[in-house]
Amino acid sequence: MNLFWAALSKELREQWRTYRLLVTVIVLSLFGLLSPLLAYFTPQILGAIPGGEALGELIPPPTVVDAIGQYIKNLSQFAILFAILLPMGSVSGEKERGTAALVLSKPLPRGAFLMAKAAAFGLVFALSLLISGLAGYYYTGLLFEFLPFDRWVAMNGLLWLYTMVYAGLTLLFSTISRSQAVAAGLSFAVLLGLSVIGISKTVAVYLPAQLVTWSATLFIQPETAYWGSLAVSTGMLVAALLAAWLIFRRQEL
């Protein structure tokens, strides 16, 4: 266990030194803060554009639902982008540079090596969504109304799991390949493939993207739940990490 904490500390220091942690926190926090502002001021911005007065008048007055929708749309899109970009070279890059063989020559189990990386990404996204969530909650309350805080926390928790599914898949593909581009390409392919499969409403309720829908309905229809999507998403994350470990433990570096 001490080896795991040492590996996790190393991963977090690396995330900090390479500015990945800082960039992720800043970008997601900015969108968390700006989302309610954009929802509130969009009609005024359009009205201030020369010739846009009529268009501004056609837009109905913004509501708290618009702020929630803007927040979820922005955070889900950019969090997924970071979930693919951050882990894509986490294993393949180390194998290519030879640092993986150097680190694992010490008494560090390969499972701890991989789980430390997954935990580091989980903490990076948790911190980013915590700060963006607090900023979004405050400005949504300031401009519209203060929402039930427990539902706001649950909404960001669902977004975190949605993000971690693709972070886990990218970590798996980074383990399989020796190319960062291949790892990112495979993750985008899975994202696209699940989007196509999600056209079927019968199947869509079990896919990770349904977590985003669930996060939005927490404030509109709190009685609606998509436990199937939660179970499948959790299973995909666990399966991706387990597969990465099973493959990595047999690889020659």
Side-chain angles (χ1 to χ4, degrees), residues 184-209:
L186 289 173
S187 294
F188 276 115
V190 172
L191 179 61
L192 180 60
L194 291 178
S195 299
V196 173
I197 296 173
I199 295 175
S200 169
K201 293 183 178 180
T202 304
V203 178
V205 294
Y206 297 101
L207 299 180

Side-chain angles (χ1 to χ4, degrees), residues 21-32 75 78 82 132:
L21 172 60
L22 188 61
V23 170
T24 305
V25 170
I26 289 176
V27 171
L28 296 186
S29 298
L30 278 176
F31 279 102
L75 266 294
F78 283 92
F82 280 108
S132 65

Side-chain angles (χ1 to χ4, degrees), residues 136-188:
Y137 181 81
Y138 175 75
Y139 278 98
T140 299
L142 194 65
L143 298 173
F144 298 96
E145 63 179 277
F146 282 99
L147 298 163
F149 189 69
D150 57 339
R151 294 184 196 173
W152 190 269
V153 172
M155 177 185 73
N156 283 276
L158 292 172
L159 292 176
W160 177 84
L161 178 57
Y162 175 62
T163 303
M164 284 304 298
V165 169
Y166 290 96
L169 288 171
T170 308
L171 183 62
L172 168 62
F173 296 139
S174 181
T175 303
I176 294 173
S177 68
R178 287 186 174 271
S179 169
Q180 300 183 38
V182 171
L186 289 173
S187 294
F188 276 115

